[in-house]
Amino acid sequence: MSDNTYREIMHQPEAWNDTLAYLEKNPLLYEKAVRGSFDSFLFSGCGTSYNLSLSAAALWQKITRTPARGIPASELFLFPDLIGVPGKSYLLFGISRSGETSETIRAVNFFRDHFSGLTVGITCDEGSSLLSQVSVPVLTSSAHEESMVMTQSFTTMLLTLVYFAYFRVQKENYLSELPGIFKTMISEYESSIRQLGEDLSFEKFIFLGNGPYYGVAWEGSLKLKEMTATPTETFHFLEFRHGPKSIVDQKTLIIALTSSAAFSLEKDVIREMHDLGATIFHVGRESLNLTSRCLEIKLKNMTIDDCTAPILDVSFLQFLGYYRARAKKMNPDEPRNLTKVVKI
Ligand code: F1P
């Protein structure tokens, strides 16, 4: 494959390695903010960067045991009284691949003028506006992208935020194992994912994820939508039973990102949808033991847990969107209706 999107998906191990090395070498860049004393932690961005904020906030709270929330950048300046509480201090992580998205820049500036606390900006593009507007600039330039859709930028910025969470509580992490695991798993599963992506008989795509997997499920859903102009939906597992499951049929593909914490209930939902005729694409540590209409990616590596699996899981979903786009003769580098940066 020659296009930028494929190259950048496959570059993720290098981007992760480079970024971890950069973070380990430069703790003074972020130590004051990441280990600072704040009442609550906000993660904010737009589009893919908002999906990232959802998973980053869940992982932050899970790892550091401090309150965290993911919000769309526009909510911060449109409904500030729903985000902040007078007298409380916050650390805001402004997340933007380009560092030029108008809403994210506006949110960071609004926060500085109306909230108390600090701002950390995370971006992949050198010299971007975001870097000059925040208290603590963090540049993950190894994940710079030429393509329109965000792939390595998503996982690398999420990896950075998970690294910060472990750094704050000074806990050991296994993030450095992710690049090797990615290479091993992609060599094993890429062809199966490609086969699924090339099956154009599927008309409905439902992404399911709980806890830290919910934001990543949304991101997989957005990748498929952006690259293939296909309607998709995303739910928490058990929520899907409360009405939306009415659409499930033989033309439905359920993409299920299961967790270790809730697998016992998650698997029941998946089996119920499989019985209704859906095909399953499952990524998780346990097996569903379904004999037909199911592709399973088993996370066998013992060091992968609910704090790190979300970073890896999304890369499998990037391939699904990519191969469906190619099967539909669409150019993943130039998705319909989209611009690389949204300026308002
Ligand atoms: C945010 C974003 C992307 C989307 C498209 C337009 O960009 O909404 O999520 O895929 O590229 O911009 P950024 O703020 O992360 O640069």
Side-chain angles (χ1 to χ4, degrees):
M1 311 293 170
S2 57
D3 50 68
N4 287 325
T5 305
Y6 186 82
R7 182 176 50 75
E8 289 158 2
I9 292 173
M10 292 300 277
H11 183 255
Q12 289 181 107
E14 288 74 22
W16 301 346
N17 270 326
D18 294 350
T19 301
L20 288 172
Y22 171 74
L23 293 171
E24 273 152 26
K25 257 191 284 194
N26 298 282
L28 295 180
L29 265 180
Y30 50 82
E31 187 171 39
K32 175 170 167 275
V34 167
R35 284 191 178 150
S37 168
F38 301 96
D39 294 306
S40 187
F41 297 81
L42 299 173
F43 298 77
S44 188
C46 300
T48 285
S49 298
Y50 168 53
N51 297 336
L52 200 169
S53 300
L54 289 174
S55 282
L59 289 167
W60 181 275
Q61 183 152 333
K62 182 176 178 59
I63 295 166
T64 69
R65 308 309 305 138
T66 53
R69 186 179 174 191
I71 53 170
S74 53
E75 283 289 287
L76 198 146
F77 55 82
L78 292 175
F79 298 94
D81 50 341
L82 302 184
I83 306 297
V85 173
K88 297 291 183 190
S89 68
Y90 298 85
L91 182 62
L92 170 66
F93 291 95
I95 304 160
S96 174
R97 166 185 66 175
S98 62
E100 299 298 346
T101 297
S102 306
E103 291 148 78
T104 309
I105 302 292
R106 188 169 164 186
V108 163
N109 289 326
F110 183 94
F111 177 93
R112 190 188 53 229
D113 299 342
H114 297 86
F115 284 64
S116 68
L118 286 178
T119 52
V120 178
I122 302 187
T123 180
C124 304
D125 287 5
E126 203 145 4
S128 59
S129 305
L130 180 66
L131 292 172
S132 61
Q133 311 278 326
V134 293
S135 330
V136 179
V138 177
L139 177 61
T140 57
S141 55
S142 181
H144 169 79
E145 288 167 333
E146 294 304 320
S147 61
M148 186 85 75
V149 295
M150 292 172 65
T151 51
Q152 66 174 350
S153 57
F154 176 95
T155 54
T156 303
M157 293 194 286
L158 182 56
L159 173 95
T160 299
L161 289 162
V162 173
Y163 180 90
F164 284 165
Y166 280 113
F167 182 87
R168 176 177 176 87
V169 293
Q170 300 181 52
K171 263 189 201 166
E172 189 186 19
N173 71 69
Y174 298 97
L175 295 169
S176 59
E177 296 192 18
L178 285 177
I181 296 169
F182 173 98
K183 289 176 182 169
T184 305
M185 299 201 72
I186 292 307
S187 63
E188 185 177 349
Y189 289 104
E190 183 179 357
S191 57
S192 309
I193 300 171
R194 174 174 186 163
Q195 208 175 342
L196 197 61
E198 290 175 345
D199 183 342
L200 298 183
S201 68
F202 295 120
E203 293 174 359
K204 300 169 193 170
F205 296 82
I206 305 292
F207 290 76
L208 302 178
N210 283 336
Y213 298 87
Y214 183 61
V216 164
W218 260 112
E219 176 54 11
S221 176
L222 181 59
K223 284 304 82 114
L224 190 72
K225 190 172 288 173
E226 286 182 334
M227 287 197 260
T228 71
T230 302
T232 61
E233 291 192 85
T234 309
F235 300 91
H236 292 93
F237 275 85
L238 277 68
E239 276 303 299
F240 188 54
R241 278 205 185 98
H242 296 268
K245 74 172 186 179
S246 58
I247 68 163
V248 174
D249 60 14
Q250 285 73 13
K251 295 184 174 179
T252 303
L253 179 64
I254 303 265
I255 298 93
L257 305 181
T258 57
S259 64
S260 299
F263 182 72
S264 59
L265 290 179
E266 292 164 349
K267 75 176 182 334
D268 295 343
V269 173
I270 298 170
R271 287 189 178 139
E272 185 180 330
M273 302 316 147
H274 187 261
D275 291 345
L276 291 175
T279 295
I280 307 298
F281 178 16
H282 172 226
V283 185
R285 291 176 54 96
E286 320 273 344
S287 185
L288 296 167
N289 299 316
L290 293 173
T291 53
S292 66
R293 290 181 289 114
C294 181
L295 168 60
E296 273 204 314
I297 295 185
K298 200 127 179 273
L299 301 176
K300 298 182 270 284
N301 188 296
M302 293 318 289
T303 59
I304 291 288
D305 59 15
D306 282 347
C307 291
T308 47
I311 301 169
L312 194 65
D313 283 10
V314 72
S315 49
F316 306 121
L317 310 188
Q318 294 165 353
F319 280 104
L320 181 71
Y322 175 79
Y323 282 116
R324 182 174 171 87
R326 293 193 71 96
K328 289 182 71 175
K329 307 274 185 284
M330 298 175 79
N331 179 355
D333 279 4
E334 288 162 17
R336 198 166 68 182
N337 301 341
L338 291 192
T339 56
K340 192 171 181 185
V341 185
V342 173
K343 285 188 170 298
I344 49 176

